[in-house]
Every structure is written in C-alpha cells, then in structure tokens.
Amino acid sequence: MPDLVTHLAVNHLLRNLTEIRQESCSAPERVLFYAGTLLPDVTSRSIAILFPASITWTLAFHTPAGSIILAVLFSQFMKSGTRNRSFCNIAAGSLLHYLLDTFQKTSTPVFFWLFPFSWKDCGIPLFDPGDLIPWIPVWLVILLVWEGLRIFVKSKRPAANSR
Amino acid sequence: MKHLRQDMKRLSLFFLSGIVLAGLSLYGHRENPWNRLNSALRDPEAFDGRLIDLFVFPRIECLQPDGFQVSLRDGSVMKVHSDTAGLHPGDWINLKAWFHKDGTLTAQSVAIAKNQKYKIGFSLFPPILVVVLWFIVFRWNRASKQFEPRQNA
C-alpha cells in the first residue's frame, strides 16, 4: 500500500477535479469520501501490523467486494435519506484507493480485486510505495496551492456576479 | 409505519452485511493462496521445500557469511540462506523463501521495504484528521442511533 497521506492527497485532488464546475460541495459527503479512502487500509493493513497473525482474516476487507459490503454496513449508521449517497461516497473513496494500490510493486500477490471469485493478482507493478515517501511534502504543497486557489476563486465570484 | 419499515430495512441490511463480511473473512482466511510461516512451523514435514510468503515486516537482525537472520513480529528469529548484497541489519524486507523442515529458509526473492518506518509514521495522521473532520461535520443522534450532519456543515 502507498502511505495514507498519498492516498488521501490523490483522492482529494481527483474529487476536486470532478467537482471543479460545481458552485459548492457538501462537507459531509467529502468526509465520507475521505473515510472511504482510508477504510481498506484501516480495516486490514493496520490490524495486520498490530496483529500479524490476523492478516488472512482481514484479507477480505482489502478487496473491492469487501469494501462495498463495508460501505453498505457503515452507511446504515448515517441519517435516513442520506444512506444511498453515503454508500456511494464511501465506496467511491475505497475504489479509488484500489486504483492507486494497483500500480505498486510487491513481491507477494496481494491485489485480489476479483475476490471472492478468483485469486488472480491484478497488480500492475509500476512504482515502489517506499519511493513515494520523500514526495509527501510535494503532495502537501500541491494541496495547499490548490486549496488556496479555490478559496481565491470563490472569494472573487460574488464580486463578479454583483457587477 | 413508514419509520418502522425503514428501521426494519436498516436492521436487515446491517445484519446481512455483517454476515456477508464474516463469510468473506472466513473464506479469505481458509482459501487464501499464501503459504504462511505459521502453518509451516506447525507442520514442518508437510511444508518442507515449499515456497513461503513473509510479508508482514520481517526485519534483518544480522548478516552472516551464508545469509542473514530475520526477526519476525512475534519476536522469533529465523535463519535465511541468501545472498546478502545490498542488505543491512535493521532493513525491513519482503521475503519469499523456501521452507526447510529444520526451521531455516532459503530466499527466492528479498525486497527491501524502503522507508517503512516513515510510511507507517506518516500514515497515522490521515485517520486522525478524518476522525476530527468527522466530528466537526457529523453529530451522533442517540435517539435514532445515526450520524446526522451538523446544521452548519
């Protein structure tokens, strides 16, 4: 897995690109999307780091099928009438997490994206996740510049409309 | 009546997804394609000569002329026969190795897990950030047992 800062930064930027033309975006939906981004690693890898013997038990939670079921489960804790959108946001965050994971190099097959129907490893080894660590400050600067620009554009918009 | 029906649907989905997750977890545990060291150590004769995946952060304890020793997360130390070029004591590695019934391993591939300490360290911050954002944006309603967006969110 790449580190969670990289996961969150990439998903945040991808989400912003899809919302670039929208006037406003819902904060609760964004937070659900971020929670979905972290969900696969929090429910599997972090537990395996603390309790190595549990890795086979939590394997299912780091697969698209497991994440979709987890999204169904967690969305039941959300307010009635918002559960479908909550599910979509959590699931979208998780699935984009897997998109990034797919391109990392590992010596052991871990990308079982077709689970439980197949144990085929679907990884496309392009980068070593350890190589991304020195780039974390770069992601953070890109995010700060991006968010600064967004706030600047937003603050200018009402003035332009009032003319 | 509508509320009751919604609650029933919510409860059904809650239990159904819980049961499916438990089933997937059990299936993953029983049928995964990894040969794990725990299983090999339980039955060394059966696993003699088989390829084992060690990927939950074994760490090189010391280098030796014919290989190195790795310490595992449970505190045990194992001997690995391998080429040691480019390896250093303290490196976290991903290791694929043939198991021998005498309890030693012969490496097929050794990959250094670069910056592993920093990766884990940096990864602690995003969950904290999301939990903080979560409680800024949502509040728990005890009566209806669900998270609701705060008025100003």
Side-chain angles (χ1 to χ4, degrees):
Chain A
M1 61 165 195
D3 62 281
L4 289 179
V5 176
T6 304
H7 269 301
L8 203 60
V10 169
N11 276 14
H12 177 80
L13 288 173
L14 286 173
R15 170 122 195 172
N16 275 345
L17 288 176
T18 61
E19 286 182 342
I20 205 157
R21 294 178 69 85
Q22 288 182 12
E23 286 293 311
S24 64
C25 43
S26 148
E29 287 190 8
R30 263 178 185 269
V31 174
L32 286 163
F33 178 76
Y34 298 147
T37 301
L38 306 185
L39 200 60
D41 283 350
V42 169
T43 53
S44 64
R45 302 300 192 241
S46 61
I47 296 171
I49 289 169
L50 294 172
F51 310 103
S54 71
I55 191 159
T56 50
W57 288 101
T58 58
L59 179 160
F61 304 149
H62 200 275
T63 63
S67 288
I68 286 170
I69 307 292
L70 274 171
V72 172
L73 182 71
F74 284 120
S75 60
Q76 300 315 306
F77 289 103
M78 306 316 294
K79 189 184 174 188
S80 173
T82 66
R83 284 179 198 143
N84 287 350
R85 287 192 72 85
S86 301
F87 165 77
C88 290
N89 278 288
I90 298 171
S94 296
L95 296 180
L96 282 176
H97 174 113
Y98 295 126
L99 183 70
L100 190 60
D101 271 2
T102 300
F103 300 111
Q104 75 169 64
K105 289 180 191 166
T106 61
S107 54
T108 307
V110 285
F111 307 116
F112 306 121
W113 299 165
L114 304 176
F115 175 87
F117 306 107
S118 164
W119 288 106
K120 184 179 166 19
D121 182 76
C122 303
I124 303 166
L126 289 183
F127 64 85
D128 185 323
D131 289 337
L132 294 176
I133 302 296
W135 288 87
I136 286 177
V138 179
W139 307 147
L140 295 178
V141 168
I142 291 173
L143 282 182
L144 283 175
V145 170
W146 178 272
E147 288 304 315
L149 276 174
R150 248 164 47 102
I151 291 166
F152 178 74
V153 169
K154 249 184 187 176
S155 68
K156 288 281 172 193
R157 207 169 274 165
N161 289 344
S162 64
R163 254 179 249 153
Chain B
M1 192 66 190
K2 192 184 166 197
H3 278 293
L4 191 67
R5 230 189 354 249
Q6 274 181 348
D7 277 353
M8 281 304 291
K9 185 186 167 197
R10 183 187 178 199
L11 213 61
S12 311
L13 276 172
F14 185 81
F15 280 111
L16 193 66
S17 51
I19 290 166
V20 173
L21 271 177
L24 287 177
S25 177
L26 183 66
Y27 179 73
H29 173 68
R30 291 173 69 104
E31 303 295 328
N32 72 78
W34 301 323
N35 285 322
R36 302 209 52 241
L37 188 61
N38 289 355
S39 319
L41 290 172
R42 269 198 300 272
D43 192 357
E45 291 285 339
F47 278 81
D48 188 33
R50 281 172 68 173
L51 208 52
I52 301 286
D53 299 298
L54 281 104
F55 53 97
V56 190
F57 314 124
R59 203 170 67 116
I60 296 178
E61 276 293 304
C62 61
L63 299 180
Q64 294 171 332
D66 58 341
F68 54 86
Q69 287 198 319
V70 283
S71 62
L72 306 174
R73 285 299 308 271
D74 63 3
S76 59
V77 175
M78 290 199 81
K79 163 81 185 175
V80 182
H81 300 279
S82 166
D83 180 15
T84 58
L87 302 177
H88 304 96
D91 283 345
W92 303 82
I93 53 171
N94 287 312
L95 176 63
K96 213 163 182 163
W98 286 283
F99 179 80
H100 304 297
K101 61 184 173 188
D102 63 359
T104 63
L105 299 162
T106 300
Q108 186 210 40
S109 67
V110 183
I112 298 172
K114 285 184 246 172
N115 297 320
Q116 192 66 29
K117 257 191 306 191
Y118 299 106
K119 195 169 111 174
I120 294 172
F122 278 122
S123 293
L124 293 175
F125 293 106
I128 296 169
L129 176 71
V130 170
V131 167
V132 170
L133 287 175
W134 185 278
F135 285 102
I136 290 173
V137 166
F138 294 110
R139 67 180 185 87
W140 178 250
N141 184 326
R142 261 193 229 171
S144 58
K145 293 181 180 53
Q146 57 192 11
F147 284 102
E148 293 174 351
R150 290 181 191 273
Q151 293 299 323
N152 54 354

